[in-house]
Structure formats: structure tokens, C-alpha cells
Amino acid sequence: MQRELLFKVLVIGDLGVGKTSIIKRYVHQIFSHHYRATIGVDFALKVVQWDKDTVIRLQMWDIAGQERYGNMTRVYYREAVGALVVFDVTRASTFEAVLKWKDDLDSKVTLNHGRSVPAVLLANKSDQLGSQQPKLDHFCKENSFVGWFETSAKENTNIEEAVRCLVEHILNNEESTVMEREPGSISLSGYTSTTKDHLNCSSCVKLN
């Protein structure tokens, strides 16, 4: 019998960094040049056959950039088990806001054992600028991001890889809070892993 898991993943960052485009590319494999600001919150569902025994349903929550630090974000963040924090490589101010988003996330949602939810940093619109690697490797290690990726929703660059990296960290995070779907109900449960199951994500920053 297959196990079905439901994970709530937040996609956060300043207004206009491409959060909605990333979600649409990942979930629906589409990209549009027509920009419309997200109002409040929106979400999309992606069903992933993770392995032969596990189906993962990813709820991708698109949190509007203008909602930053608002009282409602605590409600939006509730029961999340991971996050993608996005900035626009062509706008320095959106990178400067990354730590404020990360601090807001860490202050409003934690896992069962009190640890922060895993967060992957996305340097989006990478088709418009050169590599950010030297700065971001150190930045992620210093600020407890589990990894980072240069992404482009337009060119479909590294989005699947970034989400997979995040899900691997969620699955391997001992006692992570997950919502496990069973016939007729959704219940909260813990997921534990052994040391030998620890992920080996070559694109992720190792924070040992």
C-alpha cells in the first residue's frame, strides 16, 4: 500500500521576484510574461510520485510580497514544513530583504522539536545576470539555509531541482511535522529517519 504525504511549502520573498511564476512553472509547466501581483495568498497542488512506495502532495503557498511582516503571515505559515525564499538577481533590494523574510519565517513557524523549517534560497531570473555562487555559498551557511539555486521560471532552470532538494530535507528532518493523508481523514504525524537515510543532495549546501 502506498504512503501518501501532504507537505505545505511556503514560497516567500519581496513583491515581483517571481514567486507565482516559479509555482506555475513547477506545478503546471507554464510561463507567462503577463505579471499580476498576488493579493494575500494563493496556493497550487503538485502530486509527485516520490518513489514506488510514496506519493507526495505538495501544497505550494504563494505568499504575496506586500504581506511581509503582516499579522496574517502567522496564519499563512501555520503547519508549513518547508519554504522557498526567493529574490530577484537583478534587484539588490530583494536580496537585502531575504534575511527579514527568513527571520519572519523562523519566528512564526517551527517543527515539532523546535527547529526551524528547512528553507532553500532561490536566486531567480538568473537568465538575466551572471553567477552568484561565491557570495551565496557563504551566505546560506551563515544564515541556515539548507541550500540555494539559481533559477529561471522563464527558462525552467533548476526549479525541479530546488524543490526536490527541499523535499529531501523535509523527509530527512527527524520529527518533522507532516500531514499524512489516510482514507477519509488528514492527520498530523511525525516522520523520522535513520542516519543512513540522510540525504545526499549534491546541489544543496551542506551545513554540518
Side-chain angles (χ1 to χ4, degrees):
M1 184 176 177
Q2 282 201 332
R3 176 180 59 162
E4 292 191 3
L5 301 172
L6 177 63
F7 292 150
K8 178 178 178 179
V9 171
L10 306 174
V11 184
I12 57 179
D14 269 9
L15 188 68
V17 295
K19 301 183 296 296
T20 302
S21 294
I22 286 169
I23 292 172
K24 285 185 175 180
R25 173 63 80 178
Y26 178 68
V27 175
H28 305 296
Q29 291 301 309
I30 60 174
F31 176 80
S32 173
H33 289 281
H34 301 293
Y35 174 72
R36 177 183 62 83
T38 300
I39 305 300
V41 65
D42 197 3
F43 74 87
L45 182 68
K46 173 84 167 182
V47 180
V48 180
Q49 184 71 49
W50 188 256
D51 56 38
K52 64 183 180 66
D53 299 318
T54 309
V55 172
I56 296 177
R57 298 173 185 272
L58 286 176
Q59 272 189 357
M60 310 290 289
W61 284 63
D62 182 1
I63 310 297
Q66 67 267 33
E67 293 290 329
R68 184 174 64 194
Y69 327 132
N71 293 330
M72 287 301 293
T73 56
R74 189 178 300 276
V75 176
Y76 298 152
Y77 290 0
R78 187 175 297 155
E79 296 178 347
V81 294
L84 301 173
V85 183
V86 187
F87 73 97
D88 178 347
V89 296
T90 70
R91 294 161 53 209
S93 62
T94 66
F95 178 69
E96 292 165 3
V98 160
L99 289 185
K100 294 178 182 178
W101 280 102
K102 181 68 161 58
D103 290 344
D104 190 53
L105 174 72
D106 291 344
S107 71
K108 291 177 180 174
V109 60
T110 57
L111 302 176
N112 276 351
H113 41 48
R115 292 175 61 187
S116 301
V117 299
V120 171
L121 180 64
L122 303 188
N124 196 37
K125 306 185 184 180
S126 63
D127 53 290
Q128 300 182 37
L129 205 64
S131 175
Q132 300 289 301
Q133 185 165 346
K135 178 171 67 174
L136 290 185
D137 279 345
H138 178 72
F139 179 83
C140 287
K141 289 177 182 178
E142 287 289 306
N143 296 289
S144 300
F145 286 92
V146 299
W148 74 273
F149 291 81
E150 290 180 338
T151 58
S152 168
K154 180 180 179 180
E155 297 186 351
N156 198 16
T157 304
N158 283 336
I159 293 173
E160 293 267 356
E161 292 84 351
V163 177
R164 184 170 185 87
C165 174
L166 179 62
V167 172
E168 286 178 339
H169 277 88
I170 292 169
L171 287 171
N172 286 275
N173 204 335
E174 289 187 357
E175 298 178 28
S176 287
T177 301
V178 302
M179 291 178 285
E180 185 167 359
R181 295 184 76 246
E182 296 179 351
S185 67
I186 296 178
S187 60
L188 296 179
S189 63
Y191 183 94
T192 59
S193 63
T194 60
T195 303
K196 67 182 178 64
D197 291 327
H198 189 71
L199 66 90
N200 181 19
C201 179
S202 59
S203 299
C204 297
V205 176
K206 303 300 188 299
L207 299 174
N208 296 330

